[in-house]
Amino acid sequence: MQRRVRPSRALRGTIVPPGDKSVSHRAAILNAIASGQAIVENFQRGADCLATLRCLRLLGVDWTWRDEATLQIAGRGRNGLREPAAVLDCRNSGTTMRLLSGLLAAQPFFSVLTGDISLRGRPMGRVIEPLRQMGAHIDGRSSDSLAPLAIRGGGLRGIRYCLPVASAQVKSALLLAGLYAEDETVVQEPMPTRDHTERMLRIMGAEIEFGEGSVRVSRQTGELTPISLRIPGDISAAAAWLVLAALHPDAEVRISGVSVNPTRTGVLDALHMMGADIHLEEERTWGPEPVADIVVRSSRLRGAVIGGDLIPRTIDELPLLALAGCLAEGETVIREATELRTKESDRIGTTAAELRRLGAEVEERADGLAVCGPQRLRGSTVSSHGDHRLAMMLGVAGALAQGETVIRNVGAVAVSYPWFWRDLETLAGQ
Ligand code: S3P
């Protein structure tokens, strides 16, 4: 499927982004092992979170839709999951595969996790290695580095583990395994990553302590209390509108009900550094997560260096920030971001290649990108490489470029923002 995007007229209006993908996965998985019913409002119905729900159903978990975005989950309790009768297909979702590998490593049965061609090419040694240290029997393709993963779970012991790469997925996998392990499990991270698992587990009654680069969880002896919550809007989805409105000459856009968890707001910090006119209104909390409306207006952006501990806090927004760099005044460098190469596509390579097709001069580096702006983007034919974040970045780029942009493989947005093109149409008059 392809789509034509034209330069957008004045941008005015309010956008309600989809529910946060990371929080939705966790709300489903953690409630599945709690004891009792939970109601989760604004659950994100993108393909990734639906993959998690289908895997949970194969593990014996009952869930139903109460309405379009309200999920009711019947928790099976700490020891209530059952051996799946089929392979668990995580499709395109790294979060599904890595979080479930931690949970399944602790279950007294056999399971197999697989995914689509992109996910089967992404690094899984990073979860296999520490789970084995905990005593798990877990094997993977290609010398235990890739999925499919075969897991014969149970009998874990807690470990103290220093994550070699900052990854919330790996951290969460170990915390899930740690709930079932003898003694305590301590995970240290080189830089802070999203802490949704920790926040939720604390409310559910787990023995967990976190802060200052380390999380400690103890074996869960009692049952976890289900957590009913309203999932906040996804800042990674909102980022498309933040970048589009900040770069557009005539824009004022409100994005309502967005998660402003400090482990996720790197994109706000980066755009502020670049001089964007963005502010928060109506700050409040939804369950464990801080939420706000974000208002963004046309801005004159200048280049910035984005690296260090900003990287894990803005990891999924970096293609959009590279685009912002192309249109900002001066040099923008994204560095220490090698992790981008391990995402749904090699996002350093695909971002550079597609921005170049739009006429930008982009320097690709081993650990990131460098661009000098402001540059003129000209409509052209580009491709998402089947990567949802690339598809959305290219939609924004098309709305800012001169002439018409044809984007190939636009269906990729279904992974996290199924109605992205409709929102772009409404906001930008496509
Ligand atoms: C996620 C963590 C990040 C992020 C991904 C979602 C999560 O991945 O890129 O989209 O929900 O924990 P890593 O843990 O690989 O950094």
Side-chain angles (χ1 to χ4, degrees):
M1 228 181 9
Q2 64 177 38
R3 205 167 173 109
R4 286 167 199 283
V5 178
R6 281 174 294 278
S8 88
R9 55 164 159 71
L11 297 167
R12 294 279 182 281
T14 299
I15 293 270
V16 182
D20 188 276
K21 180 160 80 70
S22 296
V23 180
S24 295
H25 282 296
R26 286 156 173 82
I29 294 170
L30 294 176
N31 275 314
I33 55 165
S35 169
Q37 299 278 337
I39 304 290
V40 182
E41 292 171 81
N42 201 33
F43 189 89
Q44 207 228 76
R45 281 184 91 149
D48 272 14
C49 294
L50 294 182
T52 287
L53 289 181
R54 271 191 296 266
C55 291
L56 291 174
R57 176 151 286 154
L58 276 167
L59 291 162
V61 181
D62 274 337
W63 49 261
T64 47
W65 294 107
R66 281 194 147 186
D67 62 42
E68 223 179 271
T70 307
L71 184 71
Q72 179 165 350
I73 308 170
R76 305 269 309 175
R78 190 165 45 110
N79 295 315
L81 298 181
R82 63 156 197 246
E83 185 172 79
V87 167
L88 300 168
D89 189 353
C90 307
R91 308 224 170 172
N92 194 239
S93 175
T95 309
T96 307
M97 182 166 286
R98 298 208 178 101
L99 267 59
L100 287 185
S101 67
L103 179 60
L104 294 170
Q107 308 303 314
F109 53 67
F110 176 73
S111 54
V112 178
L113 292 164
T114 191
D116 70 8
I117 188 168
S118 150
L119 186 55
R120 280 183 277 119
R122 294 178 62 190
M124 292 300 147
R126 55 179 65 187
V127 281
I128 295 179
E129 223 247 350
L131 289 171
R132 278 187 169 168
Q133 283 182 28
M134 294 177 83
H137 299 279
I138 169 164
D139 295 296
R141 191 168 60 87
S142 198
S143 310
D144 300 321
S145 65
L146 299 175
L149 308 180
I151 303 172
R152 192 168 288 286
L156 303 187
R157 55 186 176 271
I159 54 167
R160 173 178 281 271
Y161 190 73
C162 207
L163 293 176
V165 283
S167 163
Q169 293 177 352
V170 179
K171 173 178 65 172
S172 298
L174 301 184
L175 296 178
L176 283 162
L179 290 174
Y180 294 84
E182 288 296 339
D183 305 325
E184 58 175 30
T185 299
V186 181
V187 186
Q188 285 169 318
E189 40 185 11
M191 284 175 279
T193 64
R194 63 196 70 193
D195 61 1
H196 310 299
T197 307
E198 296 90 308
R199 286 171 182 253
M200 237 179 249
L201 278 176
R202 182 161 61 190
I203 292 185
M204 297 173 85
E207 238 184 89
I208 185 163
E209 283 169 37
F210 58 101
E212 291 304 306
S214 123
V215 192
R216 178 187 305 269
V217 72
S218 298
R219 182 188 179 85
Q220 183 66 26
T221 45
E223 292 288 0
L224 290 172
T225 312
I227 178 170
S228 288
L229 75 159
R230 180 169 178 76
I231 307 277
D234 198 327
I235 195 163
S236 301
W241 315 123
L242 296 176
V243 169
L244 174 59
L247 291 170
H248 191 279
D250 186 7
E252 177 166 348
V253 175
R254 171 181 289 261
I255 310 153
S256 71
V258 183
S259 164
V260 286
N261 176 322
T263 60
R264 294 290 298 282
T265 47
V267 66
L268 299 181
D269 297 345
L271 287 170
H272 276 141
M273 227 158 56
M274 297 175 85
D277 180 356
I278 293 178
H279 66 273
L280 304 187
E281 289 183 2
E282 316 266 342
E283 292 185 57
R284 55 221 191 251
T285 47
W286 289 359
E289 297 287 330
V291 170
D293 288 3
I294 307 180
V295 180
V296 49
R297 296 193 184 86
S298 308
S299 315
R300 278 180 73 93
L301 297 191
R302 51 183 182 269
V305 177
I306 300 164
D309 61 11
L310 201 48
I311 295 298
R313 295 177 55 242
T314 190
I315 188 78
D316 294 333
E317 296 76 68
L318 291 173
L320 282 161
L321 290 172
L323 166 65
C326 290
L327 298 172
E329 178 92 37
E331 194 185 32
T332 294
V333 179
I334 296 174
R335 67 176 193 212
E336 297 155 298
T338 317
E339 266 300 284
L340 270 187
R341 296 203 184 268
T342 71
K343 298 294 175 184
E344 287 84 327
S345 67
D346 164 359
R347 286 189 185 148
I348 294 179
T350 51
T351 299
E354 298 310 308
L355 286 174
R356 281 188 195 129
R357 280 184 212 270
L358 293 170
E361 255 182 59
V362 182
E363 185 192 331
E364 180 177 340
R365 297 181 175 173
D367 70 340
L369 300 158
V371 292
C372 227
Q375 307 194 21
R376 223 170 250 269
L377 298 183
R378 290 181 308 274
S380 167
T381 299
V382 291
S383 164
S384 74
H385 299 257
D387 180 337
H388 58 132
R389 304 272 176 228
L390 256 288
M392 292 188 267
M393 182 276 278
L394 292 168
V396 173
L400 293 166
Q402 291 177 332
E404 188 178 80
T405 299
V406 177
I407 307 170
R408 296 219 166 109
N409 208 346
V410 289
V413 299
V415 156
S416 65
Y417 197 162
W419 62 92
F420 174 81
W421 298 112
R422 193 191 68 200
D423 280 356
L424 180 64
E425 232 167 74
T426 313
L427 196 62
Q430 294 296 311

